[in-house]
Amino acid sequence: MNRLRRPATRTATVTVATVISGALALAAAAQPALAAPPAPGPSVRQQAGPVAVINGDLSQPALTGTGDAATPTGWSVGSTIGAGTAGGVGRYAGTASGHPGGRVAVMLRRPPGFTDADTDTYYSFKQRLRGVRPGARVTVTFDDSPGIDTTCTPAMVAQGQTYTVRGAGGQILPLTTRSDPNKQVNQPGTGAWTQPRSYTFTADEYEPLLTFTSTTAGGLYSCGPLIANIAASQVPPPLDRTVPQNRLPESKAFLGNHSRDVSDAVAQCNSSPSACAFTEDPDYSFSYYEPARQNGDIYLNCTREKLQRTRPVSFSSRTLSDLPASAGIPPAGTGAPTNVNQQLTTGLGAAPAWSPETARQVTEVVNPDEVSWLETQAGRKRTEGWFKSNPTPADPHNDWRLYTVIDTPAPGLADRVYQRTGPLTDAEYARCRSSRPSAPTPNNAGDPASSTDRARLR
């Protein structure tokens, strides 16, 4: 008589076999498979912190006398290529700007007849905010005043002067300086400073561009609003562990304030072994388990006895990166690693296991009326970080930065192997109780059974 019992539902039990340091250990405790990546949680960096604004005091290069037309170090005017457009902005030393703290000030230019587009292209004052990522809440502070140049007439500053500030991802904020009722014709002004001003935006790109643009209409080339004492802070976004492997953020490259093709940055870093250095961002790098996947065949026990067998299990992992092949991440073939590859492994302290393969034996136990299958769950490491010019150039316009995310097998997180069992489904139960497929015995099939045969069959 068939002793198989029809189940109402299938509830799987789990035995976990974990590959640790090349050995296979079988744990009896049942453990649930982890989702991959794990649920999001707050980052330790979700605290307000400073943003490094290069030359935020506008004092570099050293001023010539009480003022000059040199573009402040680290800033661009109009175009983000290098220092930008010739002519740029004007600067005033702290002794001439009238700033209460003696701060150097920069004057935003908007020649007569220029449209907003022209001003943005030729005279806007801008810098990329290093270390800021999409989703960060950034607050910029600065001081402002109407123009003080001798060419400013009392009428030009009587109502204050207008300009805008914008961070990539934020709204354009229109502002008007205070008026200067004390301005005299053909005499330097003493300024009318507001300190501090504040502007907050949520970044929508890596290294968002911060831009100041004069909107003062009808002013002369040497009469525009003054900006001084520029600083910034941020509240970084939380670490998001839910981003799947096939939706990693794109790599980004910058040269100074200019956005460049990733391939250009890779070529620069590949130019010599020490051209760049890689630094991991530990607050946005993490290890995790990818989703468990069925591995191999499903095994049904249609017998009346517990079955035990040794079963092979194998699986492989691979490295995910959107860097061009010239970066050598992951390496192609067995040739010498690229300079970029060596810079990465130096920054990490060890080379990742780029594409490991695992093959082990698992002792599988299946009770009567049960079905058994294996699942594997690979340990992964997601690394975010930057390749940067090494050493950092004295001129920030020559500073290369390459942001990237690399998802590799985790060297310190053992892969998991699960033996899962459960009752038969309706279809499996029907298959187990079906007749054995065989042809009728061909020899003497119609003869009656002998007494010996009848006794043996009872």
Side-chain angles (χ1 to χ4, degrees):
M1 179 177 179
N2 195 326
R3 288 169 32 191
L4 289 174
R5 299 175 300 279
R6 180 170 181 166
T9 58
R10 173 182 291 179
T11 302
T13 58
V14 183
T15 300
V16 185
T18 309
V19 179
I20 305 177
S21 300
L24 187 64
L26 188 63
Q31 298 182 22
L34 293 179
S43 167
V44 295
R45 287 187 61 193
Q46 272 192 278
Q47 307 291 332
V51 173
V53 178
I54 297 174
N55 194 27
D57 64 2
L58 308 171
S59 62
Q60 297 298 321
L63 275 84
T64 304
T66 59
D68 58 30
T71 299
T73 300
W75 295 84
S76 298
V77 180
S79 168
T80 55
I81 300 176
T85 305
V89 295
R91 280 197 311 166
Y92 296 91
T95 55
S97 68
H99 190 283
R103 300 281 188 171
V104 176
V106 65
M107 181 188 66
L108 306 179
R109 298 187 189 276
R110 180 186 170 96
F114 269 53
T115 66
D116 290 342
D118 291 332
T119 303
D120 184 65
T121 301
Y122 293 100
Y123 294 101
S124 58
F125 186 59
K126 56 190 69 175
Q127 182 182 134
R128 289 196 175 275
L129 299 179
R130 272 72 159 175
V132 178
R133 59 194 296 121
R137 190 71 173 165
V138 183
T139 298
V140 182
T141 58
F142 48 93
D143 307 334
D144 70 10
S145 169
I148 61 170
D149 197 82
T150 55
T151 59
C152 292
T153 67
M156 290 178 183
V157 296
Q159 303 300 320
Q161 292 185 304
T162 61
Y163 67 99
T164 63
V165 58
R166 185 190 183 193
Q171 297 294 318
I172 296 175
L173 176 65
L175 294 170
T176 303
T177 70
R178 292 170 56 188
S179 63
D180 184 2
N182 299 317
K183 183 66 174 70
Q184 301 296 314
V185 177
N186 295 328
Q187 295 295 318
T190 58
W193 286 91
T194 300
Q195 52 176 341
R197 293 282 200 178
S198 179
Y199 169 67
T200 300
F201 69 99
T202 299
D204 68 351
E205 65 181 15
Y206 290 91
E207 300 199 351
L209 197 63
L210 174 66
T211 304
F212 295 92
T213 305
S214 172
T215 56
T216 298
L220 296 175
Y221 185 73
S222 297
C223 186
L226 306 183
I227 303 295
N229 194 25
I230 304 169
S233 63
Q234 67 164 326
V235 177
L239 169 62
D240 185 0
R241 297 175 179 265
T242 64
V243 178
Q245 295 173 348
N246 60 346
R247 294 184 182 176
L248 299 179
E250 293 183 5
S251 298
K252 300 291 182 181
F254 305 95
L255 175 59
N257 294 319
H258 195 51
S259 178
R260 295 289 296 267
D261 289 340
V262 170
S263 58
D264 294 340
V266 169
Q268 171 63 25
C269 291
N270 260 336
S271 62
S272 76
S274 60
C276 295
F278 179 80
T279 302
E280 178 181 355
D281 188 340
D283 292 324
Y284 291 94
S285 300
F286 58 94
S287 298
Y288 69 96
Y289 280 106
E290 67 180 8
R293 295 179 174 85
Q294 182 180 316
N295 189 310
D297 298 329
I298 295 176
Y299 191 30
L300 281 65
N301 185 357
C302 295
T303 73
R304 296 175 175 83
E305 303 295 335
K306 179 186 292 187
L307 298 180
Q308 181 171 315
R309 67 167 185 166
T310 299
R311 179 173 180 177
V313 57
S314 63
F315 56 96
S316 60
S317 298
R318 64 191 181 101
T319 294
L320 301 173
S321 169
D322 75 338
L323 293 176
S326 58
I329 300 174
T334 58
T338 64
N339 289 329
V340 171
N341 184 302
Q342 295 183 68
Q343 292 156 11
L344 174 70
T345 57
T346 299
L348 294 178
W354 302 110
S355 301
E357 295 186 2
T358 302
R360 294 293 184 267
Q361 299 290 323
V362 173
T363 299
E364 187 175 28
V365 178
V366 192
N367 290 316
D369 306 356
E370 284 190 341
V371 59
S372 171
W373 68 99
L374 298 182
E375 292 179 2
T376 53
Q377 194 174 26
R380 305 286 299 180
K381 172 67 183 295
R382 185 162 300 174
T383 301
E384 293 201 25
W386 292 82
F387 291 89
K388 297 181 180 180
S389 293
N390 182 41
T392 302
D395 183 353
H397 294 306
N398 297 327
D399 184 23
W400 282 94
R401 284 103 56 210
L402 170 60
Y403 163 82
T404 194
V405 182
I406 303 168
D407 200 294
T408 63
L413 193 62
D415 297 325
R416 289 171 169 173
V417 179
Y418 298 84
Q419 181 202 345
R420 297 173 64 85
T421 62
L424 303 172
T425 65
D426 288 346
E428 292 163 349
Y429 178 77
R431 178 63 193 135
C432 280
R433 63 179 299 197
S434 65
S435 300
R436 176 173 61 90
S438 63
T441 304
N443 296 327
N444 303 317
D447 293 348
S450 66
S451 59
T452 303
D453 292 334
R454 286 195 298 272
R456 179 171 54 81
L457 292 173
R458 282 200 296 267

